[in-house]
Amino acid sequence: MSDYRRFNRYLALAAAMCCITLGANLNVQAATLANGSQSYRVNVLNAVGVADSSYLSTEPCSRADFAKLMVLSSTLKDSTDIQSQSAVTNDVPAAYAGSGYIKAALSKGWMRTRLGGTFAPNDQISLNEAVRAVLKALGYEDADMGSDVANGRLNMYKTLDINEGIAAVNGGDKLSKQDALNIIYNLLRTKTKDGGGIYGSAIKLNASKSGKELDVSEAMEANLTGPILVKNESSLPNVIPFYNDITATYYFNGNNSNGSGKRYLSSQLSNYGWLIIYYNEKSKTVWAYGEDTGNNTYHCIRGTVSSINYTDDNIAAPSSVVINDTEYALNSSDVKFMFSVNGDVKIGDNVILVCKQLTNEDGSEAEYYAIAVVEYYENSSDRYSNVIYAEGAGKYVAVDKNGNVVNN
């Protein structure tokens, strides 16, 4: 099974990354971010459970909002303490919904109380307050700012390019939610004072090759569960832990379902009897793959391998397979390996291929080709029945004949 665990990392990332498309010309300054880059940023932060699309807004960002963003961008994000309710200040009682985040932000020194010991959670946060918080998180202290600490902080913030995409300019300016989104994103891609790497590496984010953006692939892989083969609608609440959460986001065959996620899943299961599902519990996102192609980039094929074809004498790199009397080209070396003489998939095996449609040079649609494969078996005496295996943060999922997740 080790080959499958190694191989399906590609499928997991293909499933997760299909919604994160990088806009062109991202090397921009101040509040002039390139078209599409804001959606990329919010998708990255959503993928790691930091912020969602509500932060693509000019609405005010409160001090409580910013405290939560700071905590969710750090190693404290998975701490059970942030969910505990306890009085923090006289204006943040135990019943206050964000008390755990505020307590954590105060304990780390990122944020401070006001005179009189209040936190003022509903006040709109200022640029000065946000800059102090992110520089503190990076390891900088007041002593690093020179004799004029306030201006020293703003100068450092600009020197580190944390100001990119921020409409607020002066220290006393108030931040919108979009400003806060950009400050947090910029914090995550900035190197810490001690030179130990970018701040986001602590939550499995890496810098892109250009160093200007964040690469979310490792974080996505760490937070993915799947693939899960679902065979009936009644099993969906058992398979997807946040199934009844109305804020969840669904992608079907690579396209955003725009609020119709459950309806798509129900339709596919009713018409075809199965679906492949990945989910990210932190970002409450589901990626589903099925047979219905529609106008989608991706779709799945499920059937029995009747032949494995080669274009040359390289037995480690087959070029295509035939399933249900249709030939599918094989794309990556990992996919080819799975069907090679050294791989696990043989003629007569049952498989599910995740396929992507090629585009011709003139922009017209071309044939589909396989980018990934999930192996499954039915009615086999010497192999697991009704079970599929894949890698998603080391979480291996077994599914019984009714589509319910079981221990394996």
Side-chain angles (χ1 to χ4, degrees):
M1 299 306 299
S2 60
D3 290 329
Y4 268 99
R5 293 167 185 167
R6 176 184 63 82
F7 164 74
N8 275 283
R9 182 178 296 115
Y10 181 86
L11 175 54
L13 293 179
M17 292 299 290
C18 67
C19 68
I20 299 180
T21 304
L22 187 60
N25 189 26
L26 292 179
N27 185 16
V28 291
Q29 299 296 320
T32 58
L33 290 168
N35 291 334
S37 60
Q38 288 284 206
S39 60
Y40 176 81
R41 288 178 170 212
V42 78
N43 279 328
V44 169
L45 296 186
N46 185 47
V48 292
V50 174
D52 58 27
S53 58
S54 68
Y55 278 85
L56 293 177
S57 166
T58 56
E59 293 180 0
C61 178
S62 71
R63 281 168 53 82
D65 290 334
F66 199 78
K68 184 175 181 179
L69 289 174
M70 288 294 298
V71 172
L72 292 179
S73 302
S74 73
T75 54
L76 297 176
K77 64 182 301 179
D78 296 319
S79 170
T80 56
D81 291 342
I82 62 175
Q83 303 300 331
S84 63
Q85 291 186 311
S86 60
V88 182
T89 60
N90 54 19
D91 61 344
V92 181
Y96 189 86
S99 62
Y101 298 106
I102 292 170
K103 183 178 181 180
L106 289 172
S107 69
K108 296 293 288 186
W110 299 329
M111 301 184 73
R112 297 184 290 191
T113 57
R114 299 275 175 83
L115 290 175
T118 63
F119 184 77
N122 298 321
D123 282 5
Q124 190 172 1
I125 191 166
S126 70
L127 180 61
N128 271 336
E129 291 169 328
V131 167
R132 182 188 178 280
V134 297
L135 292 179
K136 180 76 172 177
L138 289 169
Y140 293 97
E141 301 292 344
D142 288 353
D144 299 313
M145 305 303 160
S147 57
D148 187 345
V149 175
N151 282 328
R153 287 198 196 107
L154 287 175
N155 290 334
M156 179 68 73
Y157 152 82
K158 294 172 184 177
T159 298
L160 296 173
D161 289 333
I162 305 175
N163 64 323
E164 187 177 288
I166 316 301
V169 176
N170 300 309
D173 291 347
K174 304 299 184 182
L175 299 188
S176 67
K177 285 193 170 182
Q178 185 162 286
D179 281 339
L181 167 79
N182 285 318
I183 283 183
I184 293 298
Y185 184 91
N186 296 339
L187 162 67
L188 289 166
R189 70 179 188 180
T190 302
K191 291 183 179 180
T192 57
K193 179 188 174 183
D194 63 12
I198 63 169
Y199 185 76
S201 63
I203 57 172
K204 298 186 182 299
L205 289 169
N206 299 308
S208 65
K209 290 182 179 179
S210 70
K212 294 295 294 182
E213 300 302 326
L214 289 168
D215 178 357
V216 74
S217 57
E218 183 180 352
M220 289 301 298
E221 181 184 345
N223 294 322
L224 276 177
T225 295
I228 305 172
L229 177 61
V230 179
K231 296 184 179 179
N232 60 62
E233 188 173 359
S234 63
S235 66
L236 287 172
N238 296 326
V239 169
I240 304 171
F242 49 89
Y243 182 71
N244 292 317
D245 191 322
I246 61 173
T247 65
T249 301
Y250 289 81
Y251 290 83
F252 179 70
N253 284 349
N255 286 350
N256 193 319
S257 66
N258 295 316
S260 300
K262 290 185 179 181
R263 181 173 61 83
Y264 274 111
L265 300 190
S266 176
S267 173
Q268 290 300 302
L269 289 168
S270 175
N271 292 333
Y272 299 99
W274 66 279
L275 271 175
I276 290 289
I277 286 178
Y278 284 88
Y279 67 81
N280 181 329
E281 189 168 3
K282 291 183 182 297
S283 65
K284 296 180 182 176
T285 304
V286 174
W287 294 269
Y289 293 85
E291 290 189 64
D292 182 21
T293 59
N295 295 318
N296 299 304
T297 304
Y298 298 86
H299 78 289
C300 290
I301 296 298
R302 182 184 190 214
T304 303
V305 179
S306 58
S307 69
I308 300 173
N309 305 319
Y310 299 81
T311 56
D312 53 37
D313 295 330
N314 185 359
I315 60 173
S319 59
S320 66
V321 295
V322 176
I323 296 173
N324 300 342
D325 299 322
T326 301
E327 185 175 8
Y328 295 91
L330 303 179
N331 181 43
S332 70
S333 58
D334 281 331
V335 175
K336 293 178 180 181
F337 176 82
M338 296 312 298
F339 288 98
S340 72
V341 294
N342 297 314
D344 291 338
V345 184
K346 308 299 180 186
I347 293 175
D349 283 347
N350 297 315
V351 297
I352 295 171
L353 296 184
V354 179
C355 300
K356 182 178 181 180
Q357 190 165 43
L358 286 167
T359 301
N360 294 317
E361 291 184 1
D362 62 3
S364 62
E365 295 179 345
E367 65 180 0
Y368 280 93
Y369 66 97
I371 62 167
V373 58
V374 177
E375 186 179 25
Y376 78 98
Y377 301 99
E378 292 181 353
N379 304 321
S380 175
S381 59
D382 62 342
R383 302 195 185 187
Y384 294 97
S385 293
N386 301 303
V387 175
I388 57 175
Y389 291 91
E391 181 169 2
K395 302 169 185 174
Y396 303 103
V397 179
V399 184
D400 66 20
K401 65 181 180 180
N402 295 316
N404 297 312
V405 176
V406 297
N407 293 326
N408 57 321

